[in-house]
Amino acid sequence: MALGVPAQTVTDACGPDPGFFCELVFDNTENERLAEIIGWVVERPLRIILILLVAWIIKKIVHKVIERAVARLVRQSETETEEQLESAGKLDFGARAAKAINRIQERQARSSQRIETIAAVMKSLATALILAVAALLCLSELNIDLAPLIAGAGIAGLAVGFGAQSLVRDFLAGMFILIEDQFGVGDVVDVGDTSGTIEKVSLRTTTLRDVSGVVWTVPNGEIRRTANHSQLWSRAILDIGVSYDTDIDQASDIMKGVADGLWRENDPDLTILEEPSVWGVQELGNDAVVIRLVVKTDPSEQWGVGRVLRARIKKAFDEAGIEIPFPQRTVWIRNEDDADDDPSQRSVGGRERAVGTGDDVAPAELPGDGGGHDGGNGGDE
């Protein structure tokens, strides 16, 4: 500020925070109007350009940091994929090895897409935040009072927040689903109210198709828990019941032999990852002794393996004379003459009472005229 010039005059011409050009013009010309024009025409546009330039530089730096972080994740994923491919290539079975390699490559492609999606979202959020701050600084340079604007934006944001809180919750949940890789396209999952195969995953919703072919669209914010049946490996658990007079060791050996036979077949569509195991007696039920067989399989193949094993075990049990029991009851029925003599055995509501069980059963059709019984001893089973 030039000596002898009142501070008030400079303030009137250039404002409370006079810029370099405005003060320079006023010091040399002492013309308030000219100094003010120079401040608006030269200095403020330069400040706005500088703000935008700095914002652009910051945006580039942030995007570069995000890209490097994503590239690091991609390289890590590629390294893991290469190790898995080498391990899969050592398999002796061509079809199984090719299937394992295809599955690993699919997981790699899904991982890369997931990382790129997360990077794109993070870049968009960073750009929006940087531009919002730059816009506020530019408005401040134009002497626009930001207090009412910020207050109005706060009120509007509060209203939108209350009205769109479920939408915000869905987006945040979608971000965590992608970051944590909870599930992806092709996985078989149970999300609580429904289950099926994932067909699409977005930031807001997850689309899956159930076994009946019905397509379900579930908001990500409503997914409280997820059971994924297709991550890394699966397990087929078969609980097979046999009658109480069956030799448990014999039945277990037959089940183990059937499972080992399927394992040694090396069917690429029924991939068993390791030797099956019989865990032993799982339950002593009302009608059967339940033996548990456990088979480790490729993801999503546990159901197919289980169906094949059940059919083969049934055939093997039939050949060995082992009975797979079903609920049975012994019912004693008296004829009408005995029911008249014994009030406790009279028919109730058109049905006869079974002795020893307390259950009401339909009258049996016994040999003879009209369903009657010759002899009336009341002891036919």
Side-chain angles (χ1 to χ4, degrees):
M1 183 185 305
L3 295 177
V5 178
Q8 183 63 33
T9 304
V10 176
T11 302
D12 291 341
C14 302
D17 186 18
F20 174 78
F21 290 102
C22 181
E23 187 174 2
L24 179 64
V25 172
F26 183 79
D27 289 343
N28 289 277
T29 63
E30 297 186 358
N31 188 325
E32 297 180 7
R33 186 61 177 172
L34 180 60
E36 184 178 0
I37 293 174
I38 293 298
W40 275 97
V41 174
V42 178
E43 192 155 0
R44 294 183 188 276
L46 287 178
R47 288 186 178 181
I48 292 175
I49 293 174
L50 181 61
I51 291 172
L52 295 177
L53 179 62
V54 171
W56 180 80
I57 293 174
I58 293 175
K59 181 178 76 70
K60 287 294 185 181
I61 294 174
V62 171
H63 284 194
K64 185 63 68 175
V65 171
I66 294 174
E67 289 174 357
R68 288 185 177 180
V70 170
R72 189 180 302 111
L73 292 175
V74 170
R75 284 195 299 270
Q76 181 180 358
S77 178
E78 289 177 349
T79 301
E80 296 175 354
T81 301
E82 291 175 358
E83 294 176 354
Q84 294 174 352
L85 288 174
E86 292 177 359
S87 176
K90 296 178 182 178
L91 295 176
D92 297 333
F93 318 107
R96 289 185 59 184
K99 181 181 177 182
I101 291 173
N102 290 334
R103 187 174 64 253
I104 293 170
Q105 290 175 343
E106 289 175 358
R107 290 183 59 85
Q108 166 64 17
R110 191 180 85 180
S111 178
S112 299
Q113 293 174 357
R114 176 173 55 88
I115 293 172
E116 292 175 359
T117 301
I118 296 172
V121 172
M122 294 179 65
K123 286 182 180 180
S124 299
L125 292 176
T127 300
L129 180 61
I130 293 171
L131 291 180
V133 174
L136 291 177
L137 293 177
C138 291
L139 292 177
S140 177
E141 288 297 325
L142 298 176
N143 289 338
I144 297 177
D145 188 4
L146 299 180
L149 183 62
I150 295 176
I155 295 174
L158 187 62
V160 172
F162 277 113
Q165 55 182 339
S166 61
L167 183 63
V168 175
R169 181 187 61 188
D170 293 341
F171 273 98
L172 291 177
M175 283 290 296
F176 282 106
I177 288 174
L178 292 176
I179 292 173
E180 298 173 358
D181 194 21
Q182 298 177 11
F183 49 77
V185 175
D187 287 351
V188 180
V189 300
D190 181 349
V191 294
D193 294 334
T194 187
S195 60
T197 304
I198 298 293
E199 292 194 344
K200 181 181 178 182
V201 180
S202 65
L203 287 177
R204 194 182 70 84
T205 61
T206 295
T207 302
L208 54 87
R209 186 183 299 271
D210 65 15
V211 69
S212 301
V214 180
V215 176
W216 296 80
T217 301
V218 183
N220 292 329
E222 296 183 4
I223 300 177
R224 296 287 182 262
R225 62 169 179 80
T226 303
N228 195 330
H229 300 278
S230 307
Q231 285 283 6
L232 301 180
W233 56 271
S234 300
R235 178 176 283 161
I237 298 178
L238 284 74
D239 291 333
I240 307 296
V242 297
S243 61
Y244 271 88
D245 58 357
T246 300
D247 186 338
I248 301 299
D249 294 333
Q250 180 189 10
S252 299
D253 291 340
I254 292 175
M255 294 169 59
K256 181 70 163 60
V258 171
D260 288 346
L262 182 61
W263 176 44
R264 287 190 290 267
E265 287 180 9
N266 300 315
D267 189 339
D269 295 327
L270 301 172
T271 306
I272 299 178
L273 300 179
E274 59 185 35
E275 182 179 355
S277 174
V278 177
W279 285 5
V281 176
Q282 179 68 19
E283 180 184 359
L284 298 175
N286 294 329
D287 306 295
V289 178
V290 180
I291 304 175
R292 172 161 290 187
L293 171 66
V294 178
V295 182
K296 188 175 181 180
T297 71
D298 267 352
S300 302
E301 292 189 7
Q302 64 269 36
W303 299 290
V305 170
R307 285 189 286 268
V308 172
L309 285 177
R310 289 185 185 94
R312 295 188 180 186
I313 289 174
K314 172 63 169 62
K315 294 179 181 178
F317 277 2
D318 290 343
E319 294 175 356
I322 296 177
E323 178 186 3
I324 297 177
F326 52 88
Q328 304 180 49
R329 295 292 183 270
T330 301
V331 179
W332 297 82
I333 303 176
R334 294 183 180 274
N335 59 22
E336 293 293 337
D337 294 337
D338 290 340
D340 291 339
D341 296 338
D342 187 356
S344 65
Q345 301 301 321
R346 290 175 183 173
S347 61
V348 179
R351 300 170 66 86
E352 293 186 358
R353 181 173 300 166
V355 177
T357 65
D359 298 330
D360 290 338
V361 297
E365 295 183 1
L366 300 177
D369 294 334
H373 189 277
D374 294 334
N377 59 9
D380 293 332
E381 182 175 350

